[in-house]
Amino acid sequence: MRPESVAAVAVGAGLAVGAWFYAALYPTSQIFGRVVIAGDDPAELALTYDDGPNPSATPQLLDLLAKHHVRATFFLIGEYVREQPALAREIAAAGHSIGNHTMTHPWLSYKSVARIRSEIAGANAAIEDVIGGGVKLFRPPHGARRPVVLRIAQELGLTTVNWNVITHDWRVQPAASIVEKVRNGIRRNRAYVRGSNILLHDGALYQPRIPTVEATETIIADAKADGMRFVTPEAWL
Ligand SMILES: [Zn+2]
């Protein structure tokens, strides 16, 4: 093959790989199937907390949300629900929306069909055993999916939900830095005339997520001062 042909093939393959990564991993991509992000009302905001329940942060977060009468969404990991059933029940009893975040938090874009099904069905069963009632929302770990992930979720009665504001709060950082990312994200969403779906983390199990709890207090105060309304992703289905 002539050098220019080699280059052309490499560019073509690079674009294909790039497109696959975009479709599989970009949180708001719709290429592999519909994923709920947010509605078109920029005054709406959803606080979503992943990777719990976590006894090192979830109780403090529940207290804070109750104090401010804010309803949030918790995407729970099935094996942690099995380990912390009372805390999982407390989240549900407080009226928050509960979502499925798989049994063990793998990158589903790289797993077998059987494993994808067992991860999602297992978490549904764990949540239903502990909390009762049907689970309706699903968030793939890392937002990673491929078409079969979305299809299996749908077969199990779940709507897949990602986000449009990310804070990287799974890395240790001060609350102020989480707040700053949320403010920037909401500003961007308002400019694009869309609601804000904010990804935060109260888990994983035993992780110190207190900066996320502290940031939440400021995010709530900001949102109330700006006349925003707290919703859960069900509002955007
Ligand atoms: Zn997660």
Side-chain angles (χ1 to χ4, degrees), residues 23-24 26-30 32-38 48 50 73 75 98-102 108 116 120 124 135-163 197 233-234 236-237:
Y26 198 74
T28 57
S29 159
Q30 305 290 320
F32 281 168
R34 182 171 180 254
V35 174
V36 171
I37 307 296
T48 72
D50 288 11
T73 303
F75 288 95
I98 303 284
N100 176 324
H101 200 42
T102 74
L108 292 181
I116 292 166
I120 303 176
N124 261 5
V135 186
K136 296 278 175 256
L137 305 177
F138 167 65
R139 176 171 281 166
H142 318 282
R145 69 279 190 192
R146 61 182 204 268
V148 69
V149 173
L150 302 183
R151 201 177 67 233
I152 290 171
Q154 194 177 27
E155 283 168 17
L156 294 169
L158 300 165
T159 299
T160 300
V161 178
N162 267 351
W163 61 85
N197 180 340
E234 287 91 338
W236 298 325
L237 299 186

Side-chain angles (χ1 to χ4, degrees), residues 4-53:
E4 56 269 37
S5 307
V6 173
V9 168
V11 166
L15 283 177
V17 169
W20 187 90
F21 274 99
Y22 174 84
L25 303 178
Y26 198 74
T28 57
S29 159
Q30 305 290 320
I31 291 170
F32 281 168
R34 182 171 180 254
V35 174
V36 171
I37 307 296
D40 56 9
D41 183 346
E44 287 182 342
L45 168 158
L47 295 176
T48 72
Y49 296 90
D50 288 11
D51 299 358

